[in-house]
Amino acid sequence: MRHPRPLLLLVPLAVGCAAAADTPTERPPIVLVSLDTVRADRLGAYGNPDGLTPSLDAFASEAVLFENAYSQATTTAPSHASLFTSRYPVEQDVGSVKPAITPGMPTLAEVLTVYGWDSAAFVAGGELSPEMGIGRGFGSWEASVNFASLWHTAPPALAWLDTRTGPAPWLLFVHGYDAHVRYLKPAPYGYAHADAAYQGLAQDAVHGDGPERAATERFIDGRLHHDLRAVSQIAAQEVRPRGAAGKARLLAEASVRGPLPSARASDLALLRGAYDGAIGYVDAQFGLFMAGLNTRGLLDEAIVIVFADHGEQLGEDGIFNHCCNVGAAESHVPLMVRLPKGEGGGRRVTEVVELVDVMPTVLDLAGAVSPVDVRGRSFAAALRGEPFTGRSAAFTTGGMGMRMLGASTASGRLVYSGVPLFAPVAPEVVETAALPGPSFSIAPGPDGRSPDATAQAALRTDMAAWLRTLTIPTDPTGEALSAPLRGALREHGYWEVPK
């Protein structure tokens, strides 16, 4: 016999005993929960032994968990745009001064609306502010606070559920920046895994506010930089900003303003500990939201899909950020699907999937037909425990100017850095560049293994073939961001914010 939902016992909220429907609905409601900036390897369900995520781990025990899920971008707006369109970031409005869903490209909410679904989104602003255009097709898209928490977005989402009337099926999207800069969260989470008494460079950084809110991101290559402006300039100009030449130039130009203090191991430990505290805070807010669904009798009726849009580097390659690489730290994300009444809970899927696969899966589960040009593949069969063929590799784009591409498998990844991926010559460059060589780097997968020479060659071939399948927009239509949103983005460490 299945135990009652244990995740609901892990948060300080009285949980009622509302009965779920005796029979599943023909079109069950669907809830999407986006945990911004959450690395897969921080969840106990993904192997972390530190007990950071009891609510998420309990949810995983009643969900189908995808062990090898990858985001398609390492920042929030393009990652969500890809999820909601099942198209890759390079196919979005890349010439725009802001991320945008290309006009005419159907979104998940637009398709479901055709099939009679209601939809609403309660998001945490920032890169998902309404002017970014990611919410096209939703009946409502509420973002009252920039860079807000699930603490801000979950209550109005639950209130929306309380006011719904009529028989139409519904889609609800809820998002929070709880693990994003700044890492330090309210007690007892902030220093749960960090030394509050430590006095050093990192202590001031994790307390940063206002223009210094993103102070953790000034720790680069073991030194505390004066600000992020020089970093932004170098990243925008260097073909490989994290290559040896780019690192040397960054250090030289930043040092002109004065010596750069060196971080100690204890500084880096404090930053990582503060991030882990933020993960605990994410977990608590998530548990409260699940409890709210349960008190309304909706948890066992709905399909609940939980994912992260990208992860975060915690000192890998010298960075505390998610802008500058496409390795496992940024691209390997949690993805869990709880079916009505927890059917199939505890099943683990090892096949490789991408976040672009979420849209066709949701449409499959909703009884809707996907647009013909989506890039994703439904993994509904895997949810049912049926045979399922995953991808040979997952593709993640990133870097300033979209000049990085990672091809990931369960056993390692190949990372390309060079000409912009939307350039007509990109496939040829990827196909002919020296391997190994300055354009390519090798990284281990979640299992710690790296691809051998044969696997590297195969991944390079896959990269070039993938690039040739893309449809690159040629008529950008994006508009300039408003001054308040530009300020909010800069405050939270976005190095390149267009005017």
Side-chain angles (χ1 to χ4, degrees):
M1 176 180 234
R2 180 179 291 281
H3 293 291
R5 291 166 290 279
L7 72 159
L8 302 178
L9 305 178
L10 297 171
V11 292
L13 183 69
V15 178
C17 300
D22 292 332
T23 58
T25 59
E26 183 179 351
R27 296 192 292 177
I30 296 172
V31 181
L32 299 175
V33 183
S34 175
L35 309 176
D36 207 287
T37 323
V38 171
R39 292 169 56 133
D41 67 3
R42 280 326 195 243
L43 276 62
Y46 282 83
N48 189 297
D50 297 335
L52 305 178
T53 54
S55 293
L56 283 161
D57 298 344
F59 178 87
S61 72
E62 298 187 343
V64 180
L65 181 147
F66 291 83
E67 295 182 354
N68 293 295
Y70 295 90
S71 63
Q72 275 52 80
T74 60
T75 51
T76 299
S79 180
H80 284 90
S82 286
L83 184 139
F84 286 132
T85 62
S86 192
R87 299 289 291 271
Y88 291 107
V90 191
E91 299 180 294
Q92 305 295 341
D93 205 346
V94 295
S96 171
V97 296
K98 68 178 181 181
I101 294 175
T102 300
M105 188 177 288
T107 69
L108 172 63
E110 286 176 326
V111 175
L112 287 178
T113 298
V114 171
Y115 282 82
W117 286 60
D118 293 336
S119 61
F122 298 85
V123 302
E127 283 210 18
L128 293 188
S129 296
E131 66 180 277
M132 301 297 273
I134 309 301
R136 200 178 73 210
F138 277 87
S140 61
W141 184 270
E142 181 176 315
S144 58
V145 180
N146 274 326
F147 292 96
S149 162
L150 286 174
W151 185 85
H152 298 92
T153 59
L158 294 170
W160 178 79
L161 292 174
D162 292 337
T163 60
R164 282 199 74 260
T165 59
W170 50 267
L171 168 71
L172 174 64
F173 173 52
V174 183
H175 163 264
Y177 282 108
D178 297 279
H180 197 277
V181 168
R182 83 187 157 129
Y183 299 155
L184 195 66
K185 294 300 180 289
Y189 301 98
Y191 287 105
H193 306 279
D195 182 3
Y198 173 69
Q199 297 299 314
L201 295 174
Q203 190 62 271
D204 289 339
V206 297
H207 277 282
D209 209 346
E212 293 299 307
R213 190 175 183 88
T216 54
E217 296 179 355
R218 293 195 285 116
F219 280 85
I220 302 170
D221 301 329
R223 294 177 175 86
L224 181 64
H225 284 243
H226 304 297
D227 59 38
L228 293 174
R229 285 176 293 180
V231 179
S232 175
Q233 293 168 0
I234 301 298
Q237 296 166 9
E238 290 285 336
V239 174
R240 286 178 283 280
R242 298 303 296 156
K247 290 181 182 181
R249 183 181 169 201
L250 172 61
L251 179 60
E253 294 195 13
S255 298
V256 169
R257 297 185 56 191
L260 299 179
S262 294
R264 295 183 287 180
S266 48
D267 289 306
L268 305 184
L270 184 70
L271 298 183
R272 296 184 183 109
Y275 177 83
D276 284 348
I279 294 296
Y281 187 75
V282 172
D283 185 75
Q285 300 304 324
F286 171 78
L288 287 168
F289 180 48
M290 291 300 103
L293 292 179
N294 187 59
T295 60
R296 290 160 175 79
L298 296 174
L299 183 61
D300 273 347
E301 289 185 8
I303 297 170
V304 182
I305 302 175
V306 179
F307 65 93
D309 59 340
H310 55 76
E312 179 87 335
Q313 283 188 297
L314 297 175
E316 296 91 349
D317 193 33
I319 291 284
F320 287 82
N321 206 329
H322 49 266
C323 68
C324 304
N325 213 327
V326 288
E330 301 98 327
S331 63
H332 183 217
V333 294
L335 175 62
M336 300 177 285
V337 182
R338 188 185 189 278
L339 298 174
K341 297 188 177 180
E343 181 183 352
R347 184 183 302 125
R348 302 178 76 91
V349 179
T350 59
E351 285 81 3
V352 173
V353 297
E354 298 180 325
L355 289 187
V356 292
D357 299 329
V358 170
M359 176 179 172
T361 301
V362 169
L363 294 177
D364 194 350
L365 296 170
V369 177
S370 292
V372 295
D373 53 359
V374 299
R375 303 302 188 186
R377 311 169 183 174
S378 173
F379 51 70
L383 299 177
R384 297 188 293 265
E386 299 171 359
F388 169 71
T389 301
R391 296 174 175 272
S392 59
F395 296 98
T396 304
T397 58
M400 299 298 178
M402 204 170 290
R403 296 193 305 254
M404 300 188 77
L405 174 62
S408 301
T409 70
S411 300
R413 63 183 47 78
L414 183 68
V415 175
Y416 162 81
S417 179
V419 300
L421 303 178
F422 49 83
V425 298
E428 182 179 352
V429 171
V430 168
E431 201 166 45
T432 59
L435 180 65
S439 295
F440 289 103
S441 59
I442 313 302
D447 62 2
R449 294 184 294 163
S450 295
D452 60 19
T454 300
Q456 292 172 33
L459 286 173
R460 193 247 292 268
T461 299
D462 287 346
M463 278 184 171
W466 177 80
L467 285 167
R468 288 191 170 97
T469 68
L470 302 178
T471 302
I472 309 299
T474 57
D475 185 22
T477 57
E479 301 171 356
L481 302 180
S482 66
L485 181 55
R486 291 202 310 271
L489 291 170
R490 287 196 182 98
E491 182 180 308
H492 286 77
Y494 286 86
W495 296 354
E496 282 293 309
V497 181
K499 295 182 180 180

